[in-house]
Amino acid sequence: MSHLWSGRFDALPDDEVFEFQASFGFDRQLFEDDVTGSLAWAEALAGAGVLSRGEATAIRTALEEIRDRGRADPGFVEGPDEDIHAFVERQLIERVGDAGRRLHTGRSRNEQVSLDLRLYLRRRTAGLQRELVALVDALASRAEAAGPALMPSYTHLRRAQPILVAHYFLAHAVAIRRDHRRLETAREEADALPLGSGAVAGTSYAIDTAALAERLGFSRVVANSLDATADRDFVSAFLHACAGTMVHLSRLAEDLVIFASEEFGFFGLADAVTTGSSLMPQKKNPDPLELVRGKTGRVIGHLTGWLTTMKGLPSGYNKDLQEDKEAVFDAETTVRSSTRATTLVVRSLTLDPARTESAAAGLALATDVADLLVARGVPFREAHEVVGRMVRDLLATNRDFASLSPADWRRYHERLDADAAGRITARGSVTARRTPQSTAPDAVASALHEVRRWVDERTVATDH
Ligand code: ARG
């Protein structure tokens, strides 16, 4: 078989070397986008007078036929070709001969591959975002179902202060929404037409790049052909968004692994999202969550690997750039499957409010006692000291604030009367919060309302 570049060569490439540098094994995923780009390029060449109207029509008909065959039968996208661009061109020439041989006029695979990947990411990012919306929806449902239930919050994985369970779920929803936003930013980064850049210096045919951009749905044209043929910042942005998403999924997974353990028992995992042990009959393991946590490593690896590939490249296209695709495809697949698995787990979570509420009380109310003293005019540092002494005594006798009599309270400080004691509860603690981002029930209710609106807007928007 001859190659796209065989003219200059005396000998065929070594089979193993050819195989090593070929990308058809994975860039066939760009089939659809490569055809889309070529359809538009044929139009642009006709507009520039390089192709006759008849040739352009023949190319269009053949490309559409190729696209339809590829859609109907993925096995069609096969062959000894170096990459997807060579495959489409070969198919075209087989159908229309010389007209097909004219299609690559003024165009380089260097810009073509950038175009294909930009089209691919633009097309696929929305699907990932939809998965994130579904996860936010599931988290919002758990928040809603939790109602007024209380749980402890943690710092250093030590009990800190009482919060609403709803506040906990909404915290993860807020982080996932940032990932949604970052994917949007990555999509905007990819939204520039690279065609017209040629191999590196631009093209000498009268290509109307603005019309081409509009036809392909790009909002702008790249600014510099030398930069554009080697620019993959849109890939870095996408991988960064993917890695960030995985970090959030992983942290949620880690929380749920811990909170659903026998030791905590806050949440229950449905049988359908757990696995058993081949040896220990009692086990019900959170394997999907562990796997989400585990897969985070490889997506972070794609980001760091890719940035490392980019960092040493001299100006202009270099074959190293071909490494972009496997990173993108695997990151996308991993984020998608991990998000879906996480959503299924979250949807099926059950809550044990008796356990979360008893864990939310106890010494987690120490700050509230200090706040009470502050409200009664005691400087905070002094209040902290007083309550610290109380905590020390309670720990020594394995008790909590609820066990103290009015006389006990007063013994620690004259301003701690019976009325004060009655106020030191987990419920009192959350209702005392004032700021909009706090766990105060009103604040959480409006946060939940806002998340619901965010989900609804996106669910409606994708329905049509
Ligand atoms: N398969 C190549 C890639 O993915 C396409 C561009 C090839 N260009 C070149 N000059 N070898 O980057």
Side-chain angles (χ1 to χ4, degrees), residues 355-377:
R355 279 192 80 116
T356 57
E357 299 210 0
S358 78
L363 298 177
L365 302 175
T367 316
D368 299 284
V369 180
D371 283 341
L372 196 87
L373 282 167
V374 169
R376 292 172 182 203

Side-chain angles (χ1 to χ4, degrees), residues 23 27 82-83 85 109-110 113 232 317 319 321-322 324-325:
S23 52
D27 68 12
E82 183 183 352
D83 55 28
H85 326 294
R109 283 184 296 160
N110 298 352
V113 69
R232 294 291 184 280
Y317 177 85
K319 184 78 164 187
L321 292 170
Q322 180 168 290
D324 57 1
K325 282 168 283 296

Side-chain angles (χ1 to χ4, degrees), residues 56-245:
T57 307
I59 289 175
R60 173 160 34 81
T61 311
L63 283 173
E64 283 169 358
E65 199 252 314
I66 292 165
R67 187 184 55 199
D68 293 346
R69 276 200 64 181
R71 276 183 188 164
D73 170 22
F76 166 69
V77 189
E78 270 287 349
D81 309 277
E82 183 183 352
D83 55 28
I84 186 63
H85 326 294
F87 169 81
V88 173
E89 193 170 321
R90 174 170 65 81
Q91 290 292 335
L92 182 67
I93 292 169
E94 277 173 26
R95 284 167 178 72
V96 298
D98 273 350
R101 288 189 187 90
R102 285 190 215 283
L103 178 63
H104 210 56
T105 312
R107 182 175 71 165
S108 162
R109 283 184 296 160
N110 298 352
E111 52 183 343
Q112 208 180 341
V113 69
S114 163
L115 172 73
D116 290 5
L117 202 50
R118 287 168 186 269
L119 289 173
Y120 177 88
L121 285 172
R122 214 179 58 187
R123 172 162 80 77
R124 307 281 296 191
T125 301
L128 284 185
Q129 288 179 304
R130 270 197 294 280
E131 298 301 346
L132 295 184
V133 173
L135 175 55
V136 170
D137 183 44
L139 289 163
S141 299
R142 289 305 96 212
E144 202 156 2
L150 296 159
M151 70 183 280
S153 61
Y154 294 83
T155 65
H156 313 269
L157 199 53
R158 303 292 186 273
R159 282 182 197 168
Q161 296 178 328
I163 54 171
L164 290 177
V165 173
H167 195 57
Y168 168 76
F169 283 116
L170 291 178
H172 285 289
V174 161
I176 299 295
R177 280 174 61 173
R178 284 197 297 274
D179 300 321
H180 187 281
R181 177 70 230 155
R182 262 189 283 275
L183 280 169
E184 192 61 38
T185 307
R187 215 179 65 84
E188 282 161 16
E189 177 107 42
D191 180 19
L193 174 83
L195 292 182
S197 299
V200 62
T203 188
S204 43
Y205 300 90
I207 299 296
D208 183 347
T209 50
L212 196 48
E214 195 180 322
R215 190 197 149 112
L216 286 168
F218 286 107
S219 68
R220 63 187 190 280
V221 179
V222 297
N224 178 300
S225 63
L226 170 58
D227 169 62
T229 43
D231 168 30
R232 294 291 184 280
D233 289 354
F234 62 96
V235 168
S236 309
F238 176 75
L239 293 176
H240 178 253
C242 287
T245 304

